[in-house]
Amino acid sequence: AQSVTQLGSHVSVSEGALVLLRCNYSSSVPPYLFWYVQYPNQGLQLLLKYTTGATLVKGINGFEAEFKKSETSFHLTKPSAHMSDAAEYFCAVSPYTGGFKTIFGAGTRLFVKA
Amino acid sequence: DAMVIQNPRYQVTQFGKPVTLSCSQTLNHNVMYWYQQKSSQAPKLLFHYYDKDFNNEADTPDNFQSRRPNTSFCFLDIRSPGLGDAAMYLCATSRGSDMNTEAFFGQGTRLTVV
């Protein structure tokens, strides 16, 4: 069985500060890992994904995430927060071996202070 | 150039009155999904279609049905909406031949039950 845990339902940073959103996963098979962003009353938009290969993944809007198998983590970072980054962020996992059931974490709402 | 389109964006229905939400896609993807997302929660998969094959999640209530008349369209039917069915409903698609592909989401339909 697979699961995703996002540490912190709310994270608040100042504009220009480092953004760190934490995600840990549980999977009995090699996972595919994703980060999605959701703005109010919108659908989810893919930020980045890890499938195989390079463990540091760069995404859109300056975000990146690092897959650490030993820590079963896939934390999302951005060096400098912008006001427009304020949104809900979801970490997700899907099974490498097939199937179409993407499991989402509970989400972390990012607040950016001026 | 929207790729997954959900109509309407906002739907108000009466308690117990059947309602249908629609989703269309221009991506020609094999797989279409319906998720339910309640306030401040992760999206919850209700069911998905792989081409014409329907796959229901074990915990999806019988009150929820789906139809996929062709590749481009998929409908969510709620036979007798209750107050607890008020939520954002998200449609998504993915390319079935590629296991590591991400899901593409529509903007969602926010359902209110009065």
Side-chain angles (χ1 to χ4, degrees), chain B residues 23 30 54 78 84 88 90 102 107-108:
Chain B
C23 177
N30 303 81
F54 177 69
I78 309 177
M88 174 78 91
L90 298 168
E102 69 271 22
Q107 292 192 304

Side-chain angles (χ1 to χ4, degrees), chain A residues 4-80:
Chain A
V4 176
T5 302
Q6 291 185 239
L7 299 174
S9 59
H10 297 84
V11 170
S12 182
V13 300
S14 298
E15 192 171 23
L18 171 71
V19 176
L20 171 60
L21 305 182
R22 300 178 186 274
C23 172
N24 288 90
Y25 70 91
S26 172
S27 179
S28 57
V29 297
Y32 293 136
L33 295 161
F34 307 84
W35 275 100
Y36 287 86
V37 61
Q38 185 178 35
Y39 298 100
N41 290 313
Q42 300 288 324
L44 279 68
Q45 179 185 3
L46 182 73
L47 277 177
L48 49 81
K49 66 179 181 181
Y50 169 78
T51 54
T52 58
T55 56
L56 182 61
V57 181
K58 294 187 183 298
I60 62 171
N61 301 339
F63 284 93
E64 61 182 37
E66 186 171 10
F67 170 62
K68 292 187 176 180
K69 185 178 179 181
S70 61
E71 299 177 6
T72 61
S73 69
F74 191 57
H75 302 330
L76 182 71
T77 61
K78 182 175 180 178
S80 177

Side-chain angles (χ1 to χ4, degrees), chain A residues 32 34 36 38 40-46 49 51-52 88 90 94-107 109, chain B residues 9-10 31 33 35 37 40-43 45 48 50 57 88 90 94-96 98-108 110:
Chain A
Y32 293 136
F34 307 84
Y36 287 86
Q38 185 178 35
N41 290 313
Q42 300 288 324
L44 279 68
Q45 179 185 3
L46 182 73
K49 66 179 181 181
T51 54
T52 58
E88 187 93 22
F90 291 94
S94 69
Y96 175 84
T97 53
F100 300 97
K101 185 172 182 177
T102 299
I103 307 296
F104 287 89
R109 182 164 295 277
Chain B
R9 293 291 313 280
Y10 300 91
V31 191
Y33 311 78
Y35 286 86
Q37 186 182 24
S40 301
Q41 296 184 20
L45 183 64
H48 75 271
Y50 188 118
E57 292 300 302
M88 174 78 91
L90 298 168
S94 68
R95 204 169 51 237
D98 187 351
M99 294 297 183
N100 68 6
T101 188
E102 69 271 22
F104 291 79
F105 284 82
Q107 292 192 304
R110 182 165 295 284

Side-chain angles (χ1 to χ4, degrees), chain B residues 12-90:
Chain B
V12 180
T13 191
Q14 291 180 335
F15 183 94
K17 183 176 181 181
V19 65
T20 294
L21 309 182
S22 72
C23 177
S24 64
Q25 56 136 335
T26 60
L27 297 163
N28 203 34
H29 282 170
N30 303 81
V31 191
M32 295 188 77
Y33 311 78
W34 279 104
Y35 286 86
Q36 179 193 62
Q37 186 182 24
K38 296 191 174 180
S39 182
S40 301
Q41 296 184 20
K44 177 180 179 296
L45 183 64
L46 295 173
F47 25 60
H48 75 271
Y49 275 95
Y50 188 118
D51 293 327
K52 291 186 180 295
D53 293 333
F54 177 69
N55 297 271
N56 199 32
E57 292 300 302
D59 57 355
T60 298
D62 293 340
N63 198 26
F64 292 86
Q65 304 287 322
S66 186
R67 296 171 284 136
R68 189 179 186 187
N70 53 52
T71 300
S72 301
F73 287 87
C74 195
F75 300 98
L76 171 62
D77 300 309
I78 309 177
R79 293 191 297 187
S80 181
L83 297 179
D85 297 327
M88 174 78 91
Y89 290 88
L90 298 168

